[in-house]
Amino acid sequence: QVQLVESGGGLVQAGGSLTLSCAASGSIFFINTMGWYRQAPGKQRELVSTITRGGVTNYADSVKGRFTISRDNAKNTVNLQMDSLKPEDTALYYCNADINTGRFKFGNYWGQGTQVTVSS
């Protein structure tokens, strides 16, 4: 059993900042890529940012220069620092991870989501 638990969402004014955190727990051998996705009402879920186990990062064009992803491999956590937030960043943010749970056992896991609301 593997769980991803997000925290840190909330309501913030435009231009403000929030930090999202995600902790993975359970039968984890090691975690490959971790990332954040978001889904706004009426829209498809979209990639926000990913980070490999070695620290290589990837960002959606819409958040480049404003969001920063980081992870702690020892703690199985990933964070998303979100600065200069805009109303269009409002969405349900999901943590995602590719996890090795044992010899030749891999899976892709999702958290339950944390709401980020940016007011204008």
Side-chain angles (χ1 to χ4, degrees):
Q1 281 277 21
V2 171
Q3 271 194 320
L4 299 181
V5 179
E6 303 107 330
S7 61
L11 173 64
V12 65
Q13 287 190 329
S17 298
L18 280 175
T19 300
L20 304 183
S21 298
C22 172
S25 63
S27 302
I28 296 171
F29 188 51
F30 66 84
I31 303 177
N32 293 305
T33 299
M34 303 185 81
W36 291 92
Y37 291 72
R38 67 187 181 186
Q39 187 167 19
K43 295 188 177 181
Q44 288 189 329
R45 190 173 298 188
E46 62 177 4
L47 180 145
V48 176
S49 181
T50 60
I51 183 168
T52 68
R53 184 172 179 81
V56 176
T57 59
N58 178 51
Y59 296 94
D61 287 343
S62 59
V63 306
K64 280 180 181 176
R66 300 188 298 121
F67 291 9
T68 304
I69 192 170
S70 62
R71 65 186 286 173
D72 185 325
N73 291 332
K75 296 181 179 179
N76 291 333
T77 59
V78 61
N79 291 335
L80 185 69
Q81 173 67 40
M82 305 185 295
D83 298 318
S84 303
L85 282 161
K86 303 176 181 180
E88 50 264 44
D89 294 318
T90 295
L92 192 59
Y93 282 70
Y94 295 92
C95 178
N96 177 268
D98 290 324
I99 299 176
N100 183 321
T101 56
R103 186 175 174 85
F104 304 124
K105 293 182 180 180
F106 298 88
N108 184 261
Y109 297 87
W110 292 91
Q112 80 286 352
T114 185
Q115 179 67 38
V116 172
T117 303
V118 185
S119 63
S120 57

